[in-house]
Amino acid sequence: MAVQDQQFLWNVFSKVDKDRSGAISANELQQALSNGTWTPFNPETVRMMIGMFDRDQSGNISFQEFGALWKYITDWQNTFRSYDRDNSGTIDQRELQTAVTSFGYRLSDRFYGILIRKFDRQGKGCIAFDDFIQCCITLQTLTNSFRAFDTNRNGWIEIGYEQFLNLVFSLKA
């Protein structure tokens, strides 16, 4: 990474690290992020992202961890904008279906309606940027867990009830 890029990241990191602790907490990250709706960034999405990039398991993001988190958020912003076809600042069911299909999923219209209802915190029939991230991370996490049991790679698994509970409660999402 170029020195100029490092300086830019340090400037951003320093602005987010409000208490000057040398690490970014979930609260600091939530306050720094914007979903474009003038509402706080989804705390569950923040928790998921901290968990993904907190390599030393401190519960915070160090400057060394911040670069990867910054790139991840920037990539998600670009993805979100590319599928927000009407530039509404939200993703509706049709846009979500286009995005998720392009990621390789083949799901029913009914299921996309379920996703919208599950991740639409504002009850408007669409999802904001932070909820879009959470939706996609959740889909990927569930898919990876499913694949661990789909040994034939045919899209079907047979598991007992306790295996199912273990699968669900052990998810790191």
Side-chain angles (χ1 to χ4, degrees), residues 1-16 63 66-67 70-71 74:
M1 183 180 289
V3 174
Q4 186 177 17
D5 293 339
Q6 281 285 67
Q7 187 60 49
F8 171 79
L9 278 178
W10 179 253
N11 291 341
V12 173
F13 181 86
S14 297
K15 286 178 184 163
V16 176
F63 179 67
F66 183 69
W70 180 260
K71 181 180 180 337
T74 302

Side-chain angles (χ1 to χ4, degrees), residues 4-169:
Q4 186 177 17
D5 293 339
Q6 281 285 67
Q7 187 60 49
F8 171 79
L9 278 178
W10 179 253
N11 291 341
V12 173
F13 181 86
S14 297
K15 286 178 184 163
V16 176
D17 181 19
K18 298 282 188 203
D19 66 1
R20 302 287 179 248
S21 66
I24 296 172
S25 69
N27 286 341
E28 288 171 327
L29 184 59
Q30 181 184 18
Q31 290 171 10
L33 294 173
S34 169
N35 63 18
T37 63
W38 301 102
T39 58
F41 212 80
N42 185 331
E44 183 60 20
T45 306
V46 172
R47 185 194 65 77
M48 290 171 117
M49 291 190 304
I50 294 264
M52 292 169 67
F53 292 95
D54 179 19
R55 301 288 182 237
D56 62 3
Q57 304 297 307
S58 67
N60 296 308
I61 298 294
S62 68
F63 179 67
Q64 290 72 27
E65 297 162 334
F66 183 69
L69 174 63
W70 180 260
K71 181 180 180 337
Y72 184 78
I73 293 170
T74 302
D75 288 348
W76 272 118
Q77 279 181 319
N78 292 333
T79 300
F80 182 85
R81 287 182 185 135
S82 73
Y83 290 107
D84 179 17
R85 303 284 181 181
D86 60 1
N87 294 316
S88 65
T90 59
I91 297 284
D92 63 25
Q93 183 170 332
R94 184 182 45 75
E95 292 165 333
L96 181 63
Q97 185 168 356
T98 300
V100 172
T101 300
S102 76
F103 301 157
Y105 295 93
R106 301 292 176 261
L107 305 167
S108 69
D109 289 346
R110 181 178 170 273
F111 188 74
Y112 288 107
I114 290 169
L115 286 177
I116 291 290
R117 284 189 300 281
K118 170 77 175 153
F119 293 98
D120 173 16
R121 289 186 301 141
Q122 305 205 344
K124 295 182 177 179
C126 53
I127 55 178
F129 173 58
D130 52 345
D131 300 316
F132 177 71
I133 294 172
Q134 185 182 354
C135 176
C136 294
I137 292 171
T138 301
L139 260 178
Q140 184 61 48
T141 301
L142 290 170
T143 299
N144 291 342
S145 296
F146 182 91
R147 284 183 178 152
F149 287 93
D150 185 13
T151 54
N152 296 333
R153 299 291 182 245
N154 63 1
W156 292 91
I157 63 174
E158 187 173 322
I159 59 175
Y161 181 63
E162 190 168 334
Q163 283 178 299
F164 170 74
L165 290 176
N166 279 322
L167 172 77
V168 170
F169 286 118

